[in-house]
Amino acid sequence: MITLLKNGKIYDPAHNKDGVVEDIYIYQGRIVPKPLDHTKVTQTYDLSGKVVMAGAIDMHSHIGGGKVNIARMMLPEYQQKQMQEIKNLSEPEAHICTPYCSHHATPTATDTGFRYIEMGYTAAFEPAISPINARQAHLEMGDTPMIDKGGYAMLGNDDYFLRMLAAKKDQKAINDYVAWILHATQAIGIKVVNPGGISAFKFNQRRLNLDENHQHYQVSPREVLQSLSRAVHELGIAKPLHVHCNNLGAAGNFETTLNTMGASNGLPMHLTHIQFHSYGTEGDKKFSSAAAQIAEALNKNKNISADVGQILFNQTVTASGDSMMQHLNAKHANPKKSVIMDIECDAGCGVLPFKYRDQNYVNALQWAIGLEIFLSVEDPWRIFLTTDHPNGAPFTSYPHLIRLLMDKTFRNEAFAKLNLDAQSMSNLTSLNREYSLYEIAIMTRAGASKLIGLNDRGHLGVGANADITVYTDQENREAMFAKPDYVFKNGELVVKNGTVVKVVWGATHTAKPAFDIGVEKDLKDYFDRYQTIGLDNFKISDAEIFDDGRGSVVVNKN
């Protein structure tokens, strides 16, 4: 039984196809060559004039873990509003809407899967899994239907790693520990948040610059970055080290960001939500855009990639492992509430609600800075479309963001409504670039797949997993990307005209590099002495992800 997608306009940057009219054949969940016997085609979709892309991949979205659940509970008044809206619907509408309707910034696990697939996204990756909390993160992602999932394990503030650095352990020992963490947490990559800074906050340090020593361990963020980036590279992990730089959100932090790029020593490194790390100190308000300097550095340093973390105006919830900076930002919470906590000896967590306003000088300039970076970075293979969901905005706002990138007139009209002082500090209207469909396909499909190492996702070549999204080409790009005509997951039609027609379950993607099992001897002694969970219970088995037959594990290789 072969399915034929006929006469679609193919946008597949992995194979240099820019609007090429071609047919796609699907068999047993994969894209296959044209069959010699056409009678084996049992179903045909005529896609004449339609835009066809691989399923989109969100490479940075907070969708599972302790802080996400806290964020979900942070604004119960919005959940109540949602339920009231459902009650006001007619009975048939309510029946359709109840499982996955939500206007909340952090939707439920079920809602998350439905909302993603409705926009044509077939995979999303949780970027901040605390190893001690990895099991909960996987349980939540296991309850997320429709999409593939995966996560990046957080290191660089955990006591065990910092002890290794302080003791001058050799790189091989660090590599073995990093590989063990990937296996134990079933993660696909490694992330570091405010390198050393979350731990330093526990020792009453309120900031930690790149070459400033942690007062207890006497190691610097630069040492943390260099050891972890080297470990990821030497282990052959496809996904570069995922870096949340020091001094998040602080005026003048662009210098830390530039220095962090240099700390990579030429090795691959990915800087996440870089908009929040691109601030200068110019002007009367001592807060300005440094997007030009950041974009110039990204254009020059080919080993560095970044996602933007665009903010958009509305109510959201900020959830971050960066407890140091979230503690500082708590005074800006809206409504006035926050949760700041420590998690074993691993990491921290800070959650607080926030409302971005277009008439607030800082918020308006943050909006402009993100767009300036998008439009100034030359290589779409090294810049990625994110809002750092939910920190900058919910992921459901992606279609709006895409329109801002593709439509200069629309963008300038939005800019003209901003705080006037912020307008005077931005050069956004001088940037004439408009993203093409091909570039959008790179940022949200082919580039994301290449960055993470998803060899059979993000493209439409023979052998690829048949995750495919079909759109009607519309001048209003927001409307176009908000409601695909069809979405196929593993070759099955799961969305038709923007509505889910079949519920399916995606895979969990992991990386499992080789390591010396002898690392567990010291780790067991450490767990027995300091942790509240045993070493064996810390490790997550494949069987836990296979629970109820809804999950599967894909081991990705470089």
Side-chain angles (χ1 to χ4, degrees), residues 355-428:
K355 189 168 187 176
Y356 294 101
R357 293 185 168 91
D358 59 3
Q359 295 309 306
N360 175 284
Y361 170 79
V362 171
N363 297 166
L365 198 53
Q366 288 176 302
W367 180 91
I369 289 168
L371 293 174
E372 288 170 14
I373 294 170
F374 269 122
L375 300 169
S376 301
V377 174
E378 296 165 356
D379 184 0
W381 289 91
R382 292 190 296 112
I383 195 76
F384 298 91
L385 188 143
T386 66
T387 58
D388 188 23
H389 165 81
N391 291 292
F395 67 80
T396 48
S397 60
Y398 286 171
H400 178 73
L401 176 53
I402 289 172
R403 186 178 181 188
L404 288 169
L405 296 176
M406 298 189 72
D407 186 338
K408 183 179 187 296
T409 299
F410 179 72
R411 184 167 68 236
N412 286 350
E413 289 172 352
F415 181 83
K417 299 174 184 176
L418 298 184
N419 173 283
L420 293 177
D421 289 336
Q423 289 187 47
S424 69
M425 295 293 289
S426 172
N427 70 340
L428 183 61

Side-chain angles (χ1 to χ4, degrees), residues 307-328:
D307 61 85
V308 172
Q310 178 68 35
I311 75 118
L312 296 166
F313 304 116
N314 215 326
Q315 179 71 53
T316 191
V317 180
T318 65
S320 175
D322 198 342
S323 51
M324 175 188 278
M325 299 311 296
Q326 288 292 75
H327 178 265
L328 182 66

Side-chain angles (χ1 to χ4, degrees), residues 275-290:
Q275 177 276 136
F276 289 105
H277 305 273
S278 302
Y279 304 152
T281 57
E282 297 176 2
D284 294 339
K285 299 180 186 294
K286 304 301 181 184
F287 184 88
S288 61
S289 171

